[in-house]
Amino acid sequence: MSKIAEQYKDKLPEGLFNELLTEGKKKKLTDKQLKKAFEKLYEKYQYAAIQPGEAIGIITAESFGEPSTQMTLRTFHFAGVAEMNVTLGLPRLIEIFDARKAPSTPSMQIYLNKPYNKDEKHLEKIIGKIKGVKLGDVLAEISINILRTQVEFRPNKKRMRELGINEDDILKGLKDFAKVADITQKDSSFIVKPKNQEAGLPVVFSLKEKVKDLRVKGIKGIHEVLPKKEGKEIVLLSSGTNLAEVIILPEVDKDRTVSNDLFEVGRVLGIEAARQVIMGEASHVIKEQGLPIDHRHIMLISDLMTSSGVIKGVTRSGITSEKESVLARASFETPIKHLINASLQGEIDYLNSVVENVMLNQPVPVGTGLPGLVTKMGKDGDKK
Amino acid sequence: MTNVYLDEKYVGTVDNPTSFLKNIKEERRKQKLPLALNINYDPEFNEIGIHTSTGRVRRPLIVVENGQPLLTEDHLKKLESNELTWKDLVDQGIIEYLDANEEENAFVSLARKYVNKEHTHLEISPVSILGLTTSLVPYANFGQSSRLNRGSKTQKQSLGLYAMNYLLRLDTDINILQYPQRPIVGTFMHKLVNFDKHPSGQNITIALMSYDGYNMEDSLIINKGSIERGFGRSYFFRPYSVSEIRYQGGLIDEIGIPDKEVKGYRSEDDYKFLEDDGIVYPEAKLTEEDVIIGKTSPPRFLGEMEEFSIAANTRRESSAAVRQGEKGVIDTVLITENAEGNKLVQVRLRDQRIPEIGDKFSSRYGQKGVVGRIIPQADMPFTSGGVTPDIIFSPHSIPSRMTISHLIEVIAGKTGALGGTLIDGTTFSATSEKDLRKMLSKLGFREDGTEKMYNGVTGEEFKAKIFVGNMYYLKLKYMVANKMHARASGRIQLLTRQPIEGRSKGGGLRLGEMEKDCLVAHGASLLLKERFDSDKTILHVCENCGLLAVFDRIKGRASCSKCGASAKVSKIEISYAFKLLLDELKSLGIFTRIGLGSKY
């Protein structure tokens, strides 16, 4: 690395620095040209950086606030795919920033590993693993024995092998009925007989329907999985989330698979991942509505929400409660509670932020109100 | 078993609701039951409701039997020759009135040509889907329905001749158009409601073009010559009324020029228009704050201590004066008695309102706009025939709003104005656009309504042919003269010391929370402080205990009532609203201390 480059290494972000360096090598710049390029880049970088005293908080707030008044409340439906709509628009944005414990429509985007993500022939098996298979789908035969008032069924071995299910899975699933019925296995067929000896045919019939509807295998909490093409790749969309159990499947790409449940991601993958999800979900809503909000505003909010190590919403119990100033907290929801608690604890408001100063009609410490002028005083305290 | 309710009261059951319903209706048509009786069957709840009460909205429809309307050509001829009346048709059961409930069971055909066997009734005319004001919109079937709504809404706001006896009336907030005209393009409703007796607009020449950009975004360019000829001039009337009220103890208000000793006496100049009886003379030209009716009232509380005046029992000034920001000429003075037999004086102020920039005008299709510029006639564009338009309307207002009726009225108005006829624009049965074009080309104009026009300033010919014609324009009651407001300083609220609200009281314009955010976002910290300075006060704070100190104005010395005179007291400049907050916290028992120190 040349001396010139060394000089700028700490002054510029790594990405920018490396890009210019490789580009410089490609273009075969002389030292003089490289120096000029670095100077220009540094100047531009400095110009793009936020200046001291810039009111980024309020700019961020207004950048979300103003466009969201124009947001349509219409939620987007996946075209042609039934029963797969995710809350979007203003309701979702509120949900994200309030850090609600559970999203109103939990869902995951499940990415698959190399051989599985292109080929449709594995799909059924993978979906079966995640979503589970209805017993009715693997049966060769199911019937009601009228004489013995019991349900008899025989699974199709070939189908079972295709979907990666064995007889133990079926037995495990049938345990749900253990309270109301006796289950016996005979060769390759199963018998489910109601415990109530006097049970009539209607009971047996409804039992048969329940048996057909029984889910075998599958991950808890996931109700539906639908494949979607994303370019050439096949991605699975799920309604309902269970990140911890999905990402340990060998077919699933654990690096890219995401859930839209902030707290679940925070629990499973850590706070940094939760921050990423807040950013991703918020910008997804905004992009879907076609609103021009700079990504850095979203970053600022998600940083604030996660900086304490746990996810905190922009609410009176969340990050607003962490404001230092009593007056600022009191000006946002439940003022009496804040004033009384502050007086009990003898809190001091140092008037360091914007709202308090507006209330007292003092210059707010932002922009032109930030710098102070210090003059040298003479011995007697006179200005000289 | 169907339950039957007569006027919401249970009366019994029937087995076959359909035949019961049919019977009742037949009996009614034969006049064996009252005509005002309505019956309906609700299959969902299996209920029959019979209604005879007052206050139901009912509307007439032609009865249809076996796919044939009972009203025939024969009836119509007899109606024309006055052999039959409307009442006869109703009595014969040809026309019947349905209420909202019975309408639920009816199947009404919109027009005669659609009638089939399933229909039970026929609409008398398809225009009856429109209300009164909406049917005043010509060519309504050529416009978007939402624009039709807006069009009928603006008609309600238009100035006109609301009543022939307006000169004898003392209604509040009244506007009268000085030269109203009947519309060239009208509908059947204009005839029906005698619209020419109380018109509400003027026929003007309109050109659809841009001219120096002063008509962008729904603004209009108006010809100054047209205004001078009387376009859009209106009168605004405001009545003032004062009565002599009697109080306890035989005291009474007194109408007359107040004495100079009276409490709250204005300046002598303010009373200059009053005659000896304390009332202004008609045709006096008044400006704001001039007294119209002089009045004094007895003191508010009997035995009120008058600290600063020698007179024992001073009366209060309570005259009626011209409102702030208004002016005008006294139109009428009326002296009479009110219901209690006390003297009542009512005076009406008249003000002429000449169109100015910012006044609102509208066509009848929801195409409302505000005057953006008034151009002298000499500078207005002109046609080869020498005609200058009264209004230049922006063509950009048309495509997104799809008010085709607006365009058709321009052609229809042009045809009517040039041919000297009135054009019928009744919805669904108007003079067709094709006929209008034919008539227009017979009159020697281009059939599409465009004309060659010249720039009024340079005399150059415009490259494009301009669409010019006539249409009926309305002046709406919103005028800048009623809205304009500014204030430098003025009255403040007693509690917060912040400026009071409202134009009529000379209040301030609020710089709200979002506006505040805007200044903060720009970092204009000191500007923000200055804008919120309206309630600034100087507080004396004891540096020892942090409580507010007491300032003795006479001695010019501040001292803390807790720490004594020796404690150091400093002055701080702060918003009065915050001082109020501190006081309120103190009343809650919260001990708030102000710690002073240098910020830097």
Side-chain angles (χ1 to χ4, degrees), chain B residues 238 240 266 270 273 280 284-293 319-330 349:
Chain B
R238 183 182 297 285
Y240 290 85
R266 297 160 192 255
D270 287 338
F273 293 104
V280 268
K285 282 186 184 143
L286 305 189
T287 52
E288 60 177 340
E289 306 277 283
D290 281 339
V291 173
I292 298 174
I293 305 158
S319 307
V322 179
R323 284 206 194 186
Q324 206 165 51
E326 286 185 11
K327 60 174 176 56
V329 178
I330 298 299
L349 192 72

Side-chain angles (χ1 to χ4, degrees), chain B residues 59-74:
Chain B
R59 67 192 199 99
L61 289 169
I62 299 168
V63 177
V64 175
E65 264 170 18
N66 303 318
Q68 282 303 314
L70 294 186
L71 186 80
T72 58
E73 286 293 317
D74 205 37

Side-chain angles (χ1 to χ4, degrees), chain A residues 54-55 58-59 62 327 339-340 343 351 354 357-364 366-369 372, chain B residues 514 516-517 520-521 523-526 528-529 532-533 535-536 573-575 578 581 585 590 599-600:
Chain A
E54 186 84 52
I58 216 150
I59 291 173
E62 296 294 336
L327 293 174
L339 291 173
I340 288 176
S343 72
L351 308 180
V354 176
N357 281 298
V358 172
M359 288 166 86
L360 270 78
N361 196 26
Q362 303 299 314
V364 288
V366 134
T368 55
Chain B
M514 292 170 91
K516 174 215 80 179
D517 286 349
V520 175
S525 180
L526 298 169
L528 179 72
K529 182 181 180 297
F532 283 141
D533 256 357
D535 65 340
K536 72 171 173 193
E573 193 186 276
I574 215 161
S575 65
F578 187 72
L581 176 73
L585 289 178
I590 296 176
K599 264 205 162 179
Y600 310 107

Side-chain angles (χ1 to χ4, degrees), chain A residues 222-277:
Chain A
I222 292 173
H223 321 292
E224 189 65 57
V225 177
L226 290 167
K228 189 182 124 193
K229 274 241 152 147
E230 213 165 77
K232 278 181 182 169
E233 198 179 8
I234 298 164
V235 182
L236 300 179
L237 296 177
S238 78
S239 101
T241 63
N242 194 335
L243 193 61
E245 284 182 39
V246 169
I247 55 172
I248 52 170
L249 294 176
E251 294 92 344
V252 170
D253 183 349
K254 58 179 180 297
D255 294 341
R256 290 189 292 160
T257 296
V258 286
S259 158
N260 70 352
D261 186 333
L262 314 178
F263 287 89
E264 185 183 35
V265 174
R267 253 189 333 265
V268 177
L269 297 172
I271 196 72
E272 277 294 330
R275 169 179 173 267
Q276 210 70 38
V277 170

Side-chain angles (χ1 to χ4, degrees), chain B residues 187-200:
Chain B
T187 69
F188 80 104
M189 192 56 84
H190 286 100
K191 272 178 229 147
L192 213 62
V193 300
N194 290 328
F195 198 75
D196 51 347
K197 294 267 163 55
H198 54 88
S200 69

